[in-house]
Amino acid sequence: MDIEALLEFDRAHLWHPYSSMETPNPVYPVVSAHGVRLKLADGRELIDGMASWWSAIHGYNHPVMNQALTRQIDQVSHLMFGGLTHPAAVELGRKLIDLTPAPLQTLFYSDSGSVAIEVAIKMALQYWQANKEPQRTQFLSLRGGYHGDTLGAMSICDPVTGMHKLFSTVLNQQHFVERPNCRFGQACNEQDIAPIATALHENQDTLAAVILEPIVQGAGGMWFYSADYLYKVRQLCDQHNILLIFDEIATGFGRTGRLFACEHADVSPDIMCIGKALTGGYLSLAATLSTRDISNSISRSEPGVFMHGPTFMGNPLACSAALASITLLQKSNWQANIEAIETGLREGLAECMDLPQVTDVRVLGAIGVVELNQTVEMRSITERFVNAGVWLRPFGNLVYLMPPYVINRDDLDTLTSAISTTIGQLS
Ligand SMILES: *Cc1c(COP(=O)(O)O)cnc(C)c1O
C-alpha cells in the first residue's frame, strides 16, 4: 500500500468530521486495531483514549464480536424492515426493552444517533397532534447540550457550539436554559432549578418536550451535573404535562458507572435515544424507545402510523453486533472495570490540578475531563499525543478521555501521564 498516495487522495477528496477541504488538519492512517491499540501505517501503536467517540467499549477486533458478525453474514446481511422481520432485531429489541427503564416498551431502530433524535422529536410532535394539542411544537433543552448534526437535532444543540447563527434561517427556534451549575454528587437547590422551572412554567402550553443528556453533557462541554437536578426536572415535566426525552446516546451502556445514566437519579423518560456503544463500535445503529402511551396515541389517531422508515432500519448485521456487544458487557465484570477506570483516572489526572494551565479536573465512571484556561490548537496537541503513543482528540479548552472498558491500569497510566505532560508544556 502506498501510504503517501492514500493520504494525498484523502486530503484532496475526503471530508472528515468538521474539516476543511482547503486547509485540512493531518489525519493518521490506521491499518489495524486490536484491544485498546490502533496500529498506524508507519508501524507505531497508539493507546486509544477515545473508544472511537464512546463506541468501542470492548476494544477493537474482539473475537466474540467478530464471530457473531461472521455468523450473521452467513445467514443474511441486510433485509428491508418494511413487511419483514428477523431474529436479531427481535432478540435485540427484547434485550433493550428489558434493560432500559420499565415504562419504555416500544422501540424504533435507526442508523445513527442524530436520526434517533429526529425520530424522538417526530414522536413527540405526533403524540401531541394525536392528543389534540397540536400547538405543542417547541422543545426545551440545556445550554452545553449536544444532540447531533441533522437539522432537527441541531436546533436543540447549544446555540453557540451548535452554530445556530450559521443556519438561523432554517433551524426551528427552540428554548434553552443554562446548564445546571450543581455538580454530580451535589444536591440541587432552588436557585439551580429556577431557570428550567421558570421556562417550563412560562411555556407550558407550547412545549412538546424537554430533551437533555442525563447526568453527562458530552460533546457540548463534557459537564457532569447533579442527579437531583434530573429528578426535579422529571417532577416539573410531570407537573406541567410536558414529555421528557433522554438522550443516552453517549452515556448508555455503562459509561457513567450505571448501565444508563438516568439510573443515577432513578427516573425514567417518556422517550429515550441510544446509539454509539450500542454495537460496541462495530456498526452504526441507534434506537428510540418510548412508553406504550406514546406509541398507542400515535397509532390510534390520524394517520394511524408513525411517519418514519429508514432504508437500513433494523439492519441484521448491526442488530447482531449489538446483541453480541450487550451480551459481552453483561458477562463481563463491567461495573468493576468502570470503577477501576474511575480510580485510575482520578489518580492519574490528579497532578493536572497543580498545573497553572488547568482550571478543572472532573471524573465520572470511565470519563475523565481536564478543562484548560486556553483553547488548544488541535493540530499540534494531537501530534504531541501521537508522539507520546496515545490517541486523544481534545476540543476547545477540553482534553478528555473515555477509553474502552477493557483498558488495563498501565495503559490508562500512559494516557493520563501523556495528558499531564502535554498540558504542562503548553504556555
Ligand atoms: C454522538 C451523539 C449524538 C449523535 O449521534 P451520531 O451517531 O453522531 O449521529 C447525539 N447525542 C449525543 C449525546 C451524542 O453524543
Side-chain angles (χ1 to χ4, degrees), residues 126 129-130 295-307:
Q126 270 196 250
Q129 284 176 16
S295 54
N296 280 350
S297 293
I298 292 171
S299 308
R300 287 174 186 168
S301 47
E302 279 299 305
V305 295
F306 179 57
M307 285 291 180

Side-chain angles (χ1 to χ4, degrees), residues 18 114 117-118 121 141 145-168 170-172 174 176:
Y18 295 91
S114 301
I117 294 288
E118 299 291 334
I121 290 173
S141 57
Y146 176 76
H147 300 285
D149 288 351
T150 52
L151 289 174
M154 276 182 66
S155 77
I156 49 171
C157 288
D158 182 279
V160 178
T161 54
M163 297 291 158
H164 285 198
K165 250 210 189 114
L166 210 53
F167 304 100
S168 61
V170 290
L171 287 188
N172 287 326
Q174 316 285 18
F176 293 91

Side-chain angles (χ1 to χ4, degrees), residues 183-219:
R183 287 176 176 247
F184 184 78
Q186 294 177 344
C188 148
N189 61 30
E190 286 290 311
Q191 217 178 332
D192 297 319
I193 201 75
I196 193 164
T198 307
L200 290 184
H201 182 71
E202 284 173 356
N203 302 288
Q204 56 183 315
D205 300 324
T206 53
L207 279 172
V210 169
I211 178 163
L212 49 76
E213 296 154 278
I215 307 296
V216 173
Q217 291 188 306

Side-chain angles (χ1 to χ4, degrees), residues 54 112-115 117 146-149 213 218-219 247 249-250 276 284:
W54 313 86
S112 75
S114 301
V115 175
I117 294 288
Y146 176 76
H147 300 285
D149 288 351
E213 296 154 278
D247 177 350
I249 292 166
K276 289 204 161 101
S284 186

Side-chain angles (χ1 to χ4, degrees), residues 127-378:
Y127 173 80
W128 288 116
Q129 284 176 16
N131 282 286
K132 309 282 180 276
E133 291 202 62
Q135 83 289 352
R136 288 189 183 268
T137 57
Q138 300 242 282
F139 291 80
L140 181 142
S141 57
L142 305 181
R143 287 191 180 262
Y146 176 76
H147 300 285
D149 288 351
T150 52
L151 289 174
M154 276 182 66
S155 77
I156 49 171
C157 288
D158 182 279
V160 178
T161 54
M163 297 291 158
H164 285 198
K165 250 210 189 114
L166 210 53
F167 304 100
S168 61
T169 50
V170 290
L171 287 188
N172 287 326
Q173 298 297 304
Q174 316 285 18
H175 297 278
F176 293 91
V177 295
E178 62 187 75
R179 75 178 190 189
N181 279 318
C182 37
R183 287 176 176 247
F184 184 78
Q186 294 177 344
C188 148
N189 61 30
E190 286 290 311
Q191 217 178 332
D192 297 319
I193 201 75
I196 193 164
T198 307
L200 290 184
H201 182 71
E202 284 173 356
N203 302 288
Q204 56 183 315
D205 300 324
T206 53
L207 279 172
V210 169
I211 178 163
L212 49 76
E213 296 154 278
I215 307 296
V216 173
Q217 291 188 306
M222 300 299 295
W223 179 247
F224 313 149
Y225 64 86
S226 163
D228 196 22
Y229 181 90
L230 195 62
Y231 183 82
K232 287 177 170 147
V233 170
R234 175 73 271 182
Q235 286 183 319
L236 286 166
C237 286
D238 288 342
Q239 278 164 25
H240 295 300
N241 192 27
I242 294 165
L243 296 176
L244 181 55
I245 304 173
F246 286 168
D247 177 350
E248 290 253 13
I249 292 166
T251 47
F253 303 101
R255 181 59 67 179
T256 69
R258 297 293 186 93
L259 198 56
F260 296 100
C262 60
E263 294 171 18
H264 288 286
D266 200 18
V267 292
S268 49
D270 303 292
I271 299 175
M272 179 161 129
C273 301
I274 53 175
K276 289 204 161 101
L278 174 58
T279 64
Y282 266 64
L283 285 159
S284 186
L285 182 70
T288 307
L289 294 106
S290 85
T291 60
R292 188 65 76 181
D293 177 35
I294 291 175
S295 54
N296 280 350
S297 293
I298 292 171
S299 308
R300 287 174 186 168
S301 47
E302 279 299 305
V305 295
F306 179 57
M307 285 291 180
H308 208 94
T311 306
F312 284 92
M313 184 169 184
N315 171 261
L317 282 177
C319 287
S320 56
L323 257 178
S325 173
I326 296 170
T327 307
L328 252 186
L329 187 68
Q330 289 179 309
K331 283 189 179 160
S332 74
N333 206 347
W334 65 269
Q335 287 99 333
N337 291 349
I338 304 280
E339 249 172 66
I341 294 172
E342 180 162 357
T343 305
L345 289 172
R346 276 189 210 289
E347 292 173 1
L349 295 175
E351 58 187 281
C352 288
M353 298 276 242
D354 301 328
L355 298 172
Q357 297 90 344
V358 172
T359 55
D360 190 43
V361 175
R362 41 188 186 265
V363 171
L364 176 61
I367 314 167
V369 182
V370 182
E371 192 170 316
L372 308 179
N373 62 1
Q374 56 189 282
T375 299
V376 294
E377 215 266 296
M378 174 108 69

